[in-house]
């Protein structure tokens, strides 16, 4: 099965909201000027009382959303609690944590139960971390640190092998063991110049429009996604995830939200969701752009068929995409400059919660020998140790080799390299891994290499 980066997604993906952050920053927005760290929070002196970190009750979820939305400043609030005060359709049981000071909820973190596809095809239990925020009145006092510690320990206890998130700023999560494991590009396709190459196979399969207000539509999308999303880095979209997506589409786009599916009824293998960018006055503008929110393809035919469909939508002058770093779209066009890359971004921040299980779950390239990796994990200490990785798998060694391990690093760096999306040689150039020699690095990169590059394409 040919996998186009599975899903590509534009629009809200902040750990909780929109694009690019477990907070929501416009693509390309710069982190606040000045040194990272303490300067950011107002210095209102010591917090009155000690902080209490604990799981939240379902009835406290609305308060969590207020803390999160206040911390994120600009994020559209969704009516999660319109039908029931606990918002059960949009939260997974027992995964919300809060930081309380003087009995007031001032910090939050949450996760959606999910899976992560790893090289070789296995899907690992995964915590999709979201809704992370601390009120500006209480930042830089260690509340996030305490929330992360509680959440990571809890996720591991409930059997999650990995956790991932989308970061609002790139300077927050490495300290908690997260590393950048996948990257994405955003790009725009100029319809006036974009023609599919005549050599592109399978571009004439059946495409039909579905009613975004129909339950059956979203049930079909969930089925197609589940069967299409096998590329390393793909993550599970739970029922909660789909509920949030559907509500967001209804609130933000109203009826200007379109869904096209590829494949004969009963044999659908891909879909695209899109809406006009800035709908106000859209038809009267010269530049009429469309945001492609989801481009899920389970076959070459679906990729070519849906692309042909999008390039054929009249009135549209520009298509905005978010795509895997190595997506073939530009090569499928007669003029590959009809697609302009507008930004490259860190996508998946990956935290290995159970290092032995995670290393053993993925496959590695054969015939390139073995490498030993000494890993240090300050937060989840029992992950620390020495592991041997070869084409026949990975396992923890009772002791590090007498001559020392080939590579020495920390769990955040291992998280970055784990899916094969960030190379060991790149991490070594950054001084994040000590290697016995160049040969050890080359062996590690050959063992972990995957093609195509890993990619999630699912905002959360
Ligand atoms: C990011 C945020 C949750 C941090 O909460 P916090 O309680 O201030 O974090 P902590 O006090 O535990 O900070 C831990 C460390 O991270 C650093 N840090 C935390 N947030 C940082 C940021 N945004 N920029 C730079 N450094 C940051 C702190 O300086 C501290 O560093 P130190 O260990 O070297 O002293 C909070 O600032 C916030 O809500 N920001 C806006 C919303 C947001 O971006 N949420 C995250 C969405 S992905």
């Amino acid at each position: 099965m040919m996998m186009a980066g599975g899903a590509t997604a534009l629009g809200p993906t902040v750990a909780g909201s929109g694009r690019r952050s477990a907070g929501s920053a416009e693509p390309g927005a710069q982190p606040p000027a000045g040194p990272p760290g303490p300067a950011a929070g107002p210095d209102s002196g010591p917090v009155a009382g000690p902080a209490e970190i604990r799981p939240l009750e379902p009835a406290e979820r609305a308060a969590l959303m207020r803390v999160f939305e206040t911390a994120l400043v600009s994020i559209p609030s969704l009516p999660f609690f319109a039908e029931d005060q606990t918002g059960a359709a949009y939260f997974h049981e027992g995964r919300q944590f809060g930081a309380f000071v003087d009995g007031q909820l001032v910090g939050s973190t949450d996760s959606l139960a999910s899976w992560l596809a790893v090289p070789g095809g296995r899907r690992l239990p995964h915590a999709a971390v979201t809704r992370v925020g601390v009120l500006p009145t209480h930042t830089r006092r260690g509340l996030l640190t305490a929330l992360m510690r509680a959440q990571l320990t809890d996720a591991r206890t409930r059997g999650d092998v990995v956790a991932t998130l989308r970061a609002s700023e790139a300077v927050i999560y490495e300290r908690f063991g997260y590393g950048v494991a996948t990257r994405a590009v955003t790009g725009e396709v100029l319809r006036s110049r974009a023609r599919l190459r005549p050599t592109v196979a399978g571009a004439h399969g059946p495409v039909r429009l579905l009613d975004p207000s129909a339950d059956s539509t979203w049930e079909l999308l969930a089925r197609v996604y589940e069967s299409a999303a096998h590329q390393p880095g793909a993550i599970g979209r739970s029922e909660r995830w789909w509920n949030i997506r559907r509500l967001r589409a209804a609130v933000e786009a109203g009826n200007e939200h379109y869904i096209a599916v590829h494949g004969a009824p009963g044999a659908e293998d891909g879909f695209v969701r899109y809406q006009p960018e800035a709908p106000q006055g859209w038809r009267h503008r010269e530049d009429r752009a469309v945001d492609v929110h989801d481009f899920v393809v389970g076959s070459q035919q679906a990729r070519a068929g849906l692309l042909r469909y999008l390039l054929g939508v009249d009135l549209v002058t520009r298509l905005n995409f978010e795509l895997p770093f190595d997506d073939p779209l530009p090569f499928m066009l007669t003029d590959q400059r009809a697609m302009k890359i507008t930004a490259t971004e860190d996508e998946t921040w990956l935290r290995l919660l159970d290092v032995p299980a995670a290393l053993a779950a993925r496959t590695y390239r054969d015939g390139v020998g073995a490498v030993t990796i000494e890993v240090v994990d300050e937060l989840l200490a029992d992950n620390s140790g020495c592991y041997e990785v070869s084409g026949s798998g990975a396992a923890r060694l009772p002791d590090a080799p007498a001559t020392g391990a080939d590579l020495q690093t920390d769990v955040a760096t291992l998280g970055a390299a784990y899916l094969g999306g960030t190379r060991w040689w790149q991490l070594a150039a950054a001084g994040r891994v000590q290697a016995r020699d160049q040969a050890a690095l080359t062996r590690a990169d050959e063992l972990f290499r995957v093609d195509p590059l890993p990619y999630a394409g699912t905002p959360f």
Side-chain angles (χ1 to χ4, degrees):
M1 173 156 9
M2 265 295 299
M3 269 322 297
T8 64
L10 268 183
T13 33
V14 163
S17 75
R19 274 169 86 63
R20 303 233 43 58
S21 75
S24 182
E26 289 313 314
Q30 299 309 311
D43 185 8
S44 50
V47 172
E52 179 202 5
I53 306 294
R54 65 169 172 77
L56 296 179
E57 299 302 324
E60 295 173 307
R61 290 171 184 156
L64 173 149
M65 288 311 297
R66 280 196 297 284
V67 165
F68 172 62
E69 288 159 5
T70 306
L72 264 291
V73 185
S74 75
I75 178 169
S77 183
L78 294 176
F80 289 151
F81 309 100
E83 269 132 47
D84 88 74
Q85 288 179 343
T86 69
Y90 307 102
F91 295 83
H92 276 116
E93 215 44 53
R95 287 178 173 264
Q96 297 81 50
F97 284 83
F100 292 80
V101 172
D102 299 335
Q104 180 204 358
L105 180 65
V106 296
S108 68
T109 188
D110 188 9
S111 67
L112 294 173
S114 173
W115 46 256
L116 174 76
V118 300
R122 283 189 57 188
R123 290 174 166 182
L124 297 182
H126 159 225
V129 171
T130 183
R131 300 161 180 159
V132 179
V134 172
L135 291 181
T137 47
H138 289 77
T139 49
R140 309 300 179 271
R141 302 183 195 309
L143 294 180
L144 174 67
T145 305
L147 284 164
M148 290 285 112
R149 193 182 290 277
Q151 182 179 51
L152 294 176
T153 310
D154 171 77
R156 204 169 65 172
T157 309
R158 62 180 63 241
D160 292 332
V161 174
V162 292
T164 75
L165 55 82
R166 309 280 178 271
S168 59
E169 295 176 275
V171 290
I172 303 173
Y173 294 104
E174 191 179 309
R175 57 177 51 77
F176 306 122
Y178 286 89
V180 176
T182 73
R183 302 182 69 76
V185 295
T186 51
E188 49 189 42
V189 173
L190 302 176
R191 239 188 100 241
S192 58
R193 290 173 57 181
R195 302 275 175 284
L196 269 188
R197 282 174 178 272
T199 52
V200 170
H204 297 282
V207 172
R208 69 186 191 282
L209 285 164
L210 300 178
D211 172 2
S213 65
D215 291 351
S216 58
T217 294
W218 294 86
E219 285 150 16
L220 174 59
L221 299 189
R223 272 202 311 280
V224 172
Y225 178 81
E226 195 65 22
S227 67
H230 292 291
Q231 85 277 7
I235 69 168
R237 296 179 173 184
S238 61
E239 189 189 339
R240 302 291 191 293
W241 184 92
W242 282 107
N243 292 343
I244 295 166
R245 215 42 42 199
R246 184 174 178 182
L247 184 66
R248 179 178 297 287
V251 169
E252 288 182 2
N255 61 4
E256 293 172 347
H257 172 234
Y258 307 99
I259 299 175
V261 66
H262 179 273
E268 293 87 351
D269 59 355
F271 64 84
V272 61
R273 294 191 304 113
Y274 61 97
Q275 70 184 67
E277 180 194 70
Q280 214 58 40
W282 189 88
R283 262 185 318 104
H284 308 297
R285 285 201 297 270
E286 280 300 307
D287 175 24
R288 294 182 296 274
V290 149
D291 288 339
V292 177
H293 275 305
D294 231 341
F295 185 62
V296 172
V297 294
S299 68
Q300 166 63 17
Q301 291 74 14
R303 180 201 301 280
L306 290 169
L307 200 52
R308 181 180 58 80
Y309 168 80
L310 286 170
L311 293 178
V313 179
D314 285 337
L315 294 181
V316 173
T317 56
R318 183 163 52 88
L319 294 157
N320 298 328
F321 279 95
E322 184 179 277
L323 292 168
F325 218 63
D326 57 352
D327 194 88
L329 198 159
F331 305 100
M332 296 171 73
L333 305 175
T334 53
D335 169 4
Q336 56 182 282
R337 292 188 193 163
M339 171 160 183
K340 197 170 69 182
I341 303 292
T342 50
T344 65
E345 298 159 348
D346 47 281
E347 187 206 31
T348 302
W349 288 73
L350 175 62
R351 207 310 174 183
L352 303 178
L353 298 172
D354 183 337
V355 169
L359 287 176
R362 64 151 289 180
T363 56
Y364 304 90
R365 292 209 172 201
D366 240 335
V368 294
V371 72
T372 52
I373 309 174
E374 180 87 38
V375 180
V376 173
D377 186 343
E378 282 169 9
L379 256 180
L380 302 172
D382 58 5
N383 280 328
S384 299
C386 191
Y387 300 84
E388 182 167 65
V389 177
S390 71
S392 50
R396 188 201 292 255
L397 296 176
D399 303 300
T403 54
D406 294 322
L407 306 182
Q408 295 174 354
T409 191
D410 59 67
V411 72
T413 304
L414 181 63
Y418 175 70
L419 290 175
T422 304
R423 325 291 288 158
W424 283 103
W425 73 264
Q426 292 172 310
L427 297 163
R432 295 181 57 183
V433 52
Q434 309 317 311
R436 176 194 304 283
D437 52 31
Q438 182 54 44
L441 273 179
T442 306
R443 267 199 323 283
D445 270 329
E446 276 313 304
L447 282 163
F448 281 74
R449 182 189 292 276
V450 293
D451 232 338
L453 290 172
Y455 177 71
T458 291
F460 58 89

